Amino acid sequence: MTGSVFTGEDLPANERFDCWRELVGRTRDSEMTSAHADDFEAEMRRLELGPVTLLRSSFPPARFRRTAKMVRRSDPGVYHLTLVLDGGLSLTRDDRVPTTTFNPGELYVLDSSQPYDVRGLGVRAAGRAEPRIEAVGLDFPVSLLPLPPRRLRELMGRAFSGQEGTCALLAQFLVGLDRQATALGPVEAPRLGTIVVDLMAAWLARELDAEAAVPDDARQRALVENVRTFIRRNLHDPELSPSVIATAHHISVSYLHRLFTQQSQGETVAAWIRGQRLEKAHRDLADPALRAVPVHALAARWGIPRASDFTRSFRAAYGIPPSEHRRRALAGRTGE
């Protein structure tokens, strides 16, 4: 996966802001200023997911101003999605419209074809001399979203809670992408970019009551990602089954099986659940902090209450019994 990380640690203090501004400006062309420009301590991870760019940033208070003149001079035709994680951001789009403030857990979308004025409202974090803003951003071409731009204008600049509905699924996916960034390979990039745009399309279409405008394949990919998120949240429940999942998503079991298999390279729902549970248990067995927890208790924590079932499935997946995996993993950590 192509991308870059900026910390500024190796740069002179008075050069950090210009470097950071250049990195942001690759997809978010705006005038950037900051009262902290002379000693700018910021971090950014930039990931290229095909034509989609993910930005994870941490920075002191700054201003991002895209003027009407800049829009006329050059418009790349890009949507900018921002999820605030900490601190806050304020947005002014028109002198006739009140400024909107976005708090942690809220999202908003902007269009590069419209002027905007965004100001970072930082909060002071432990170990930091200056206030900070933490955010995840997503930039992608307008043409990728299967919804007419004119319909989306009414949603631009509005605050949406990342705790509800499809919007919550999108927010969780963005945060998950950032957390797994170092483990993701280049082959996965375009697929992940497609999924995140599908999730955004599903969310915005629902806000507009225009689900029919989203192509069937995009809706199906978004639904499968929703199913996967539901499964991850409920792995601990031994009663989790295809019928429970289908009911929760208001679809038939047969449709769930068909759709999931199509979108998962032939893997069944049950196999994916089992694989997720074994993966979590495999990780926990290698955790020194959990060495005193019995193997069967760790298995039960992830929804496999019968020790014999867990041992058989674990051996089939990893080639050794769970107790042997734990012994080897912990011995390797302690150098025994």
Side-chain angles (χ1 to χ4, degrees), residues 118-235:
V118 175
R119 297 172 188 253
L121 311 172
V123 294
R124 200 172 299 280
R128 295 280 191 178
E130 78 285 340
R132 309 289 294 176
I133 298 96
E134 307 277 343
V136 176
L138 190 72
D139 298 339
F140 61 92
V142 169
S143 59
L144 288 186
L145 203 61
L147 295 166
R150 59 180 178 77
R151 292 289 311 274
L152 291 170
R153 285 175 191 157
E154 64 187 84
L155 303 181
M156 295 294 116
R158 282 176 47 185
F160 295 93
S161 171
Q163 308 296 320
E164 302 171 357
T166 310
C167 189
L169 177 61
L170 174 62
Q172 292 164 12
F173 193 82
L174 291 176
V175 173
L177 274 179
D178 174 60
R179 289 175 177 169
Q180 297 296 321
T182 57
L184 299 176
V187 176
E188 299 170 287
R191 182 182 66 83
L192 292 171
T194 298
I195 290 174
V196 77
V197 172
D198 289 339
L199 292 174
M200 190 166 175
W203 161 49
L204 294 174
R206 179 161 296 185
E207 294 292 339
L208 293 170
D209 194 22
E211 285 92 340
V214 179
D216 288 344
D217 57 345
R219 286 205 305 271
Q220 290 170 357
R221 286 191 296 264
L223 176 56
V224 169
E225 192 55 41
N226 205 345
V227 166
R228 290 194 181 107
T229 298
F230 179 85
I231 291 171
R232 293 187 191 100
R233 287 178 180 170
N234 293 279
L235 283 175

Side-chain angles (χ1 to χ4, degrees), residues 274 278 295 304 306-322:
R274 181 170 60 253
L278 291 173
V295 170
I304 311 177
R306 295 184 59 180
S308 57
D309 290 344
F310 176 62
T311 299
R312 182 172 58 254
S313 297
F314 194 96
R315 185 192 289 271
Y318 298 106
I320 58 174

Side-chain angles (χ1 to χ4, degrees), residues 246-270:
T247 299
H249 292 83
H250 311 290
I251 57 178
S252 69
V253 174
S254 60
Y255 181 65
L256 170 65
H257 282 307
R258 184 169 68 255
L259 185 61
F260 195 92
T261 301
Q262 289 172 351
Q263 297 293 330
S264 302
Q265 292 75 51
E267 188 173 28
T268 66
V269 179

Side-chain angles (χ1 to χ4, degrees), residues 5-222:
V5 178
F6 169 83
T7 63
E9 294 176 350
D10 299 328
L11 294 174
N14 61 353
E15 294 181 13
R16 295 172 189 161
F17 181 67
D18 287 340
C19 183
W20 184 79
R21 180 168 53 186
E22 188 277 330
L23 191 59
V24 175
R26 292 181 188 176
T27 51
R28 300 195 173 198
D29 184 21
S30 60
E31 296 175 351
M32 296 178 225
T33 56
S34 174
H36 303 271
D38 291 339
D39 188 10
F40 199 73
E41 295 187 12
E43 299 172 9
M44 175 181 290
R45 177 160 49 231
R46 178 188 174 93
L47 298 174
E48 306 295 343
L49 308 170
V52 178
T53 300
L54 182 76
L55 304 172
R56 171 64 167 89
S57 54
S58 172
F59 56 96
R63 182 181 184 183
F64 310 83
R65 185 166 174 259
R66 182 164 172 77
T67 65
K69 182 178 180 180
M70 296 178 75
V71 172
R72 289 193 299 269
R73 185 178 66 206
S74 174
D75 179 18
V78 173
Y79 284 132
H80 307 300
L81 170 72
T82 300
L83 167 63
V84 181
L85 302 177
D86 202 4
L89 295 169
S90 70
L91 167 67
T92 303
R93 299 179 64 217
D94 191 315
D95 292 338
R96 297 166 295 178
V97 179
T99 295
T100 304
T101 299
F102 306 98
N103 299 308
E106 292 183 328
L107 301 88
Y108 67 91
V109 184
L110 292 177
D111 185 340
S112 66
S113 66
Q114 299 294 322
Y116 58 78
D117 189 344
V118 175
R119 297 172 188 253
L121 311 172
V123 294
R124 200 172 299 280
R128 295 280 191 178
E130 78 285 340
R132 309 289 294 176
I133 298 96
E134 307 277 343
V136 176
L138 190 72
D139 298 339
F140 61 92
V142 169
S143 59
L144 288 186
L145 203 61
L147 295 166
R150 59 180 178 77
R151 292 289 311 274
L152 291 170
R153 285 175 191 157
E154 64 187 84
L155 303 181
M156 295 294 116
R158 282 176 47 185
F160 295 93
S161 171
Q163 308 296 320
E164 302 171 357
T166 310
C167 189
L169 177 61
L170 174 62
Q172 292 164 12
F173 193 82
L174 291 176
V175 173
L177 274 179
D178 174 60
R179 289 175 177 169
Q180 297 296 321
T182 57
L184 299 176
V187 176
E188 299 170 287
R191 182 182 66 83
L192 292 171
T194 298
I195 290 174
V196 77
V197 172
D198 289 339
L199 292 174
M200 190 166 175
W203 161 49
L204 294 174
R206 179 161 296 185
E207 294 292 339
L208 293 170
D209 194 22
E211 285 92 340
V214 179
D216 288 344
D217 57 345
R219 286 205 305 271
Q220 290 170 357
R221 286 191 296 264

